[in-house]
Amino acid sequence: MLPIFLILLFIAIASLWLSLRASHEVSRVLAIGSAIFCLIFGFAMAPWAIQVLIVLSLLGIERLYPFRKTAAELVTLSPTKRR
């Protein structure tokens, strides 16, 4: 029997694929919402070893994000001037 978290992963991938092919905004939002729902509950139902593997892979991907430094530099808090 196939584990439920793999079934939810395949449903999430199919929903993301459908959202890319959808022409109407409502169907696109619903497909993305169902993909997020399936990813969250699929992660929650996965065994802890797979959860650790997913978290480590996300941390590895985060290091490859090209705009990490420039986005941190663009966020500046300027004081508001009172007149």
Side-chain angles (χ1 to χ4, degrees), residues 13-60:
I13 291 171
S15 294
L16 287 174
W17 180 74
L18 285 175
S19 71
L20 292 175
R21 307 221 2 124
S23 60
H24 298 291
E25 190 68 25
V26 174
S27 59
R28 183 175 292 152
V29 170
L30 287 174
I32 291 173
S34 67
I36 291 171
F37 179 81
C38 289
L39 284 175
I40 289 172
F41 283 107
F43 182 75
M45 291 182 176
W48 68 270
I50 295 176
Q51 289 180 355
V52 169
L53 183 68
I54 291 170
V55 169
L56 290 177
S57 65
L58 286 175
L59 289 175

Side-chain angles (χ1 to χ4, degrees), residues 44-81:
M45 291 182 176
W48 68 270
I50 295 176
Q51 289 180 355
V52 169
L53 183 68
I54 291 170
V55 169
L56 290 177
S57 65
L58 286 175
L59 289 175
I61 291 172
E62 190 269 334
R63 290 188 324 151
L64 300 175
Y65 186 67
F67 303 111
R68 183 179 58 187
K69 293 180 183 176
T70 57
E73 293 170 359
L74 291 176
V75 178
T76 58
L77 298 175
S78 59
T80 57
K81 296 180 181 179

Side-chain angles (χ1 to χ4, degrees), residues 3-15 35 38-39 42 54:
I4 191 73
F5 68 93
L6 288 177
I7 294 170
L8 289 172
L9 176 67
F10 291 133
I11 291 172
I13 291 171
S15 294
C38 289
L39 284 175
I54 291 170

